[in-house]
Each structure stands twice: as structure tokens, then as C-alpha cells.
Amino acid sequence: MKSSNSGYILSFDQGTTSSRAILFNHDGAIVAMAQRPLRQYYPEPGWVEQDANEILESQLAVAREAIAKAGIGPEEIASIGITNQRETVVMWDKDSGRPVYRAIVWQCRRSTAICEELVSSGLEDEFRARTGLRLDPYFSGTKLCWLFREIPGLKALAENGEILFGTVDSWLLWNLTGRHETDITNASRTLLFNINDGTWDPMLLSVLGIPPQVLPKIQSSADDFGVTKPEIFGVSIPISGVVGDQQAALFGHACFSPGMAKNTYGTGCFSLLNTGNKPVWSKNNLLTTVAWRIGGKTTYALEGSVFIAGAVIQWLRDEMRFIETAEETEGISRSIPDTNGVYFVPAFVGLGAPYWDPDARGTIVGITRGVTSAHLVRAALESIAYQSEDLIAAMGSDFGKPVESIKADGGATANSFLMQFQADISGRPVLLPEIAESTALGAAYMAGISCGYWDGVAEIENNWRLKRRFEPDMNEKDRLKRLALWHKAVQAAREYKK
Ligand code: ADP
């Protein structure tokens, strides 16, 4: 593999709603970027699908666009790093390369009944101990099981070695290089991977009825994933980094030491805490997952998510019509001293960690005669920070050491009121990096370390630049009082059952 620090690193960021390509230079700065939206299919309530060929075509198109925008030649790209929406399942015919079904997206709930079956067979603890995950349709394994149960003849073909399975990274890699591989972070989200010994787990495969022949080879996150077929970009470009999107963001934030955490503020929030070289099992419903593997060394993480974060702002805009744009929420919140005693728990689809309560429902408490739409807007914004704080506190408690600071990225970090409130209610600083594209940057760094473009994590730490730091500025008594009231509101959201 080419070992040079000249040229650029091209990051493929294949997300749920769009495919993006970003070209980075040696300082970790963005040189060019291109993006295309991805069509979503909802064939039945709760089902979410995408066209696997569109995923591939859009990703290749944005890659070519980014190269053209930068005005460089493809031979100037030292390496490609891939990061992707995780848990989404693609199965394809080994000979023709044709997908046998649409890609089943991580959000898809079609395998709920399979999960319930497994839980009632008493297998939940077994799955948790082996994978670090929950028996939830979110993860790939039960989606695969669904395909084998529903598509006639598929299992026999798979046992014959004619069918391949991959998460999105693997699907892209196979088309780019002809190799059937995945990285350990993506494998760790499938419900088929044993995080204790780092291999596909024969017992879980057998319980889910998945022929092992379909599985890709598991590689490190920084590894040799081959080179792109020459006809794709005109030259062969090495691929040397692959990492799931949330883990990529953790890496892009340079959270290299145990105890460092990031929170991504998008439609939902995703928090990850680096727990070092051993998996930590959660007492607070967090997931245990692989952060990355570099040079044979595996780093683990605790992960939790808030289902409705920025989405509550969309709801205020589109359904309540209290606002016209998400940006307005900042000025509105600053125009009043507080929420006038209102707490808003946006449990529209239940609550994630640390509660894991699918039956909780959205609840607003503390309404009095003087409450205005502005107070509700502020309470909605504050709910993003309260929910995130519940996750970060749970992580610290599982890890045995409080999290010191939160590195933040995602669309809602544009809201400085929210970032300040997060620091206030958490009692810890919130750090915004200069390069907001932490996910794409993480994949670029992974590839760049692997091929020698960057010397190692020390060089990346040097590249990391702070854009803004929000210091906590709320007295402790006030903070604890508000948290206690928030938890009462959460309790109300959980007690209300249809
Ligand atoms: P995703 O990657 O999940 O699609 P993004 O990182 O693009 O999300 O962030 C978009 C989300 O952030 C939306 O839900 C939007 O409501 C919210 N958002 C964007 N800007 C602001 C803002 N200034 N204040 C509050 N929320 C915002």
C-alpha cells in the first residue's frame, strides 16, 4: 500500500438520508464536498427500505463530484475511508451482484415479532452477554432472519454459497474492490458478532437460522481493504479505513482516551463513551460496542441514544407551527428567563436509554395560565439537553468515573443556547470542534492512519482545533433542582399508558 503523506484522503459518508463525499487535506481541513439525498421507501407502517443500487450509485456520484470540485486528479488521493449508516442489511447474488431484496434500513421494525419470540424463549441475556446489544429489531440479525424466513429458496441458495450479506460498508466494498469484507465496528452492530472473542458467533447464527457462508470477513477498522477497480475512478485507489458512523464521529472528535465522550445532536442524539480496551457491561440499558480496532488493538465503547432530539424542533415547526425555522428557537429561548415551570418530555416513540420504555408517551407538565408558546419552545429545546444528560450520567456511572466534558457535533449544535444549557445542566463543559463533520473526518483519519498519511493518533490530536467551549454556569443547587423536576416529568411520561 502507498505510504505517503502527500495528496488527499477521500471520505465516503454513506448516511441514512444522504450519501456524501468529503475530500480532506493533511491538516484535516475540508477541500471539497458533495452530497445527494437518498430515497426512502415505507412499504408498510414501521417498515423502512432503500434501494441498494441507489446507495452505491449515489455514493460513487458524490465521490466523482467531490474530486471534480477540488480540481484534482484521482491519482492524488492517497486513500479512501468509508463510514456508513449502521445495521442496515443488504443481501445480493454473488454472481450477478444483484440485490435479492431492498436494503432493510436500521429504523425498520419488521422483525419485532422475531425479537419477541427470542425474548420469550429466554434468550435475551444470552444475546446481551455475547453481543453487548439488546434483542431489538434495530440490529441487523433479526432482519436477516426475516429475509431467510420470508424469501422462498433464499436459504438453500445461501447454503450453496450463492448469496452474500453485508452491512452498507460491506456492500460498497464488494462493489468497489470485489472483496467481501466488513470492519469490526460494523460487525459489532449485527447481533451476530461475539464482542468477547471478536468473531461471528456460531450459536447466535444457528439460533437465527443464518448460514455462515453469507458472512463477510471481519477486518480491523484501519486495515487493507483492497483497491478500487480501475474502471471506477480511472485509477486504483486504496481503501484503508472502514468504521460505522457513530464510532467514526467518536474518532473524528479525537476521543482516543478512556473516559472521553461525544454527543451528536441531530434528529436524535447519539452518545458514545470510549471505555478503553475492555468491554463494559451497562447497568443502565446502554449498549456495549466496539469503538474501533487499530493494529490488533480493540477499543470498546458504551453507547446510548435519544430517539427524539432535533425532531422535537421539527414537530414544533411542522405540526404545532410555533416557529418557522429551527434557528428561531434560540432567540425565543433567550427572550424569556426560563420555561415558567414547564417540563417537556418528547417521548413520542417511547424513551431510549437509560429508561428503555417503549410505552412512554410525550408529556408536558407544569402548565399554568401564564405559559406561552415561547415557554413550550424553550422547554422543548431544554429537553434535548436533559435527555442527553441522562445518557452521559448513565455512561459515567457504568464506567465508574464521571464524564469530564462533552464533544459535540450535528445540526443542532448551531444553537448556542442549547449548547450553553447542556453545559449548565450537565455541570461539564461542551466542546465544539472547528471541523463540524466529525463522522466523515473520523473515517478519513482511520484511512489516513492506516496508510501512513498521518503518523498516528498524536498527529490527529494536534490537528484537533476547538471552535467554541461552553463552560457550565449554573449553581449546583439550581441544577439539581431542575434535574429532579425533569425526572418527575419523565416519571409522568412513563406512567401514562394508553
Ligand atoms: P440528521 O443527521 O439526524 O439528519 P442533522 O445533524 O442534519 O440531523 O441535524 C438536523 C436536526 O437538528 C433537525 O432535527 C433540526 O430540527 C435540528 N436543528 C437544526 N438547527 C437547529 C437549531 N438552530 N436549533 C435547534 N435545532 C436545530
Side-chain angles (χ1 to χ4, degrees):
M1 194 176 300
K2 200 161 25 175
S3 172
S4 138
N5 61 11
S6 65
Y8 305 89
I9 300 283
L10 181 59
S11 184
F12 286 11
D13 181 0
Q14 204 305 302
T16 311
T17 54
S18 72
S19 296
R20 305 185 328 139
I22 304 186
L23 199 65
F24 290 96
N25 67 16
H26 199 255
D27 298 330
I30 294 174
V31 177
M33 162 153 51
Q35 176 163 2
R36 285 197 186 182
L38 199 63
R39 206 167 319 153
Q40 315 286 321
Y41 298 89
Y42 307 103
E44 291 197 28
W47 290 27
V48 189
E49 297 176 355
Q50 291 168 359
D51 177 344
N53 282 322
E54 190 189 346
I55 294 177
L56 173 67
E57 295 307 327
S58 62
Q59 190 58 64
L60 294 180
V62 291
R64 293 191 181 106
E65 227 173 290
I67 295 170
K69 271 189 186 170
I72 64 159
E75 69 286 351
E76 292 178 76
I77 298 170
S79 182
I80 292 172
I82 298 178
T83 182
N84 57 288
Q85 52 169 319
R86 307 171 303 171
E87 299 103 8
T88 297
V89 164
V90 186
M91 277 221 251
W92 64 95
D93 182 289
K94 192 177 177 181
D95 289 330
S96 70
R98 263 199 297 274
V100 299
Y101 199 85
R102 285 222 192 100
I104 304 182
V105 178
W106 56 275
Q107 294 153 325
C108 187
R109 307 300 292 174
R110 79 183 63 203
S111 53
T112 302
I114 297 175
C115 291
E116 285 167 0
E117 232 175 74
L118 295 166
V119 170
S120 46
S121 314
L123 285 164
E124 196 163 22
D125 289 346
E126 196 67 49
F127 269 90
R128 194 173 174 74
R130 288 168 189 255
T131 66
L133 308 176
R134 306 175 64 87
L135 266 176
D136 189 278
Y138 177 25
F139 306 107
S140 319
T142 56
K143 293 174 158 69
L144 238 79
C145 177
W146 185 93
L147 284 168
F148 283 122
R149 285 189 188 180
E150 297 297 322
I151 301 182
L154 186 65
K155 196 159 178 183
L157 288 172
E159 281 165 347
N160 231 2
E162 295 176 50
I163 300 290
L164 301 179
F165 149 72
T167 39
V168 168
D169 57 308
S170 201
W171 165 244
L172 293 176
L173 278 172
W174 190 82
N175 281 285
L176 288 162
T177 67
R179 285 162 56 162
H180 188 217
E181 296 172 345
T182 189
D183 99 293
I184 189 166
T185 66
N186 278 291
S188 80
R189 313 297 299 183
T190 58
L191 211 63
L192 310 172
F193 174 80
N194 189 315
I195 53 168
N196 305 297
D197 64 16
T199 58
W200 298 120
D201 188 303
M203 181 258 182
L204 302 180
L205 291 171
S206 136
V207 167
L208 291 167
I210 295 165
Q213 294 92 321
V214 301
L215 299 169
K217 179 182 166 212
I218 302 166
Q219 300 256 82
S220 290
S221 317
D223 215 324
D224 172 7
F225 290 91
V227 299
T228 58
K229 296 173 188 166
E231 63 270 25
I232 297 176
F233 296 111
V235 296
S236 291
I237 306 173
I239 302 175
S240 55
V242 175
V243 60
D245 56 5
Q246 299 309 322
Q247 288 92 333
L250 188 71
F251 202 70
H253 275 295
C255 290
F256 301 137
S257 310
M260 293 180 88
K262 72 94 190 175
N263 193 24
T264 300
Y265 297 81
T267 315
C269 284
F270 284 93
S271 279
L272 259 79
L273 170 76
N274 179 329
T275 61
N277 59 10
K278 287 209 175 59
V280 171
W281 266 261
S282 175
K283 294 189 180 67
N284 293 293
N285 293 311
L286 297 165
L287 306 173
T288 306
T289 201
V290 174
W292 49 74
R293 188 170 71 196
I294 300 171
K297 229 180 106 210
T298 305
T299 299
Y300 294 87
L302 279 168
E303 174 175 324
S305 46
V306 169
F307 299 144
I308 302 290
V312 72
I313 305 301
Q314 295 166 356
W315 180 79
L316 289 177
R317 184 191 60 199
D318 304 338
E319 264 69 46
M320 294 297 104
R321 301 185 186 275
F322 286 176
I323 49 170
E324 277 175 19
T325 64
E327 292 72 37
E328 280 169 48
T329 58
E330 178 163 357
I332 292 171
S333 299
R334 288 190 195 283
S335 72
I336 43 178
D338 52 36
T339 64
N340 205 353
V342 172
Y343 288 82
F344 185 166
V345 185
F348 300 164
V349 291
L351 287 168
Y355 307 104
W356 273 100
D357 189 344
D359 301 321
R361 284 297 171 265
T363 301
I364 300 174
V365 300
I367 302 177
T368 51
R369 185 67 182 79
V371 166
T372 65
S373 61
H375 295 116
L376 296 182
V377 167
R378 178 160 167 160
L381 208 48
E382 289 188 358
S383 78
I384 301 175
Y386 280 116
Q387 294 181 91
S388 296
E389 171 52 19
D390 283 344
L391 278 184
I392 305 275
M395 285 177 164
S397 144
D398 283 337
F399 186 53
K401 195 167 156 249
V403 173
E404 276 176 21
S405 63
I406 304 166
K407 289 189 163 181
D409 65 294
T413 59
N415 192 314
S416 301
F417 171 84
L418 171 61
M419 294 295 100
Q420 183 58 51
F421 188 77
Q422 183 71 79
D424 289 347
I425 211 62
S426 294
R428 32 187 151 237
V430 173
L431 279 53
L432 286 189
E434 193 72 57
I435 305 285
E437 302 291 347
S438 309
T439 305
L441 184 59
Y445 278 152
M446 197 59 81
I449 285 191
S450 167
C451 74
Y453 182 82
W454 283 295
D455 282 343
V457 293
E459 197 177 1
I460 290 172
E461 270 165 344
N462 271 340
N463 268 355
W464 195 86
R465 298 264 178 281
L466 182 72
K467 182 177 168 206
R468 191 158 170 199
R469 184 181 170 101
F470 296 86
E471 287 294 342
D473 184 25
M474 185 184 279
N475 76 56
E476 189 63 3
K477 205 170 133 224
D478 223 20
R479 186 176 85 84
L480 294 176
K481 192 173 136 209
R482 288 184 200 219
L483 278 172
L485 288 168
W486 160 257
H487 290 132
K488 272 184 150 176
V490 168
Q491 203 47 43
R494 301 186 65 186
E495 272 166 20
Y496 175 76
K497 298 272 191 282
K498 273 192 290 186

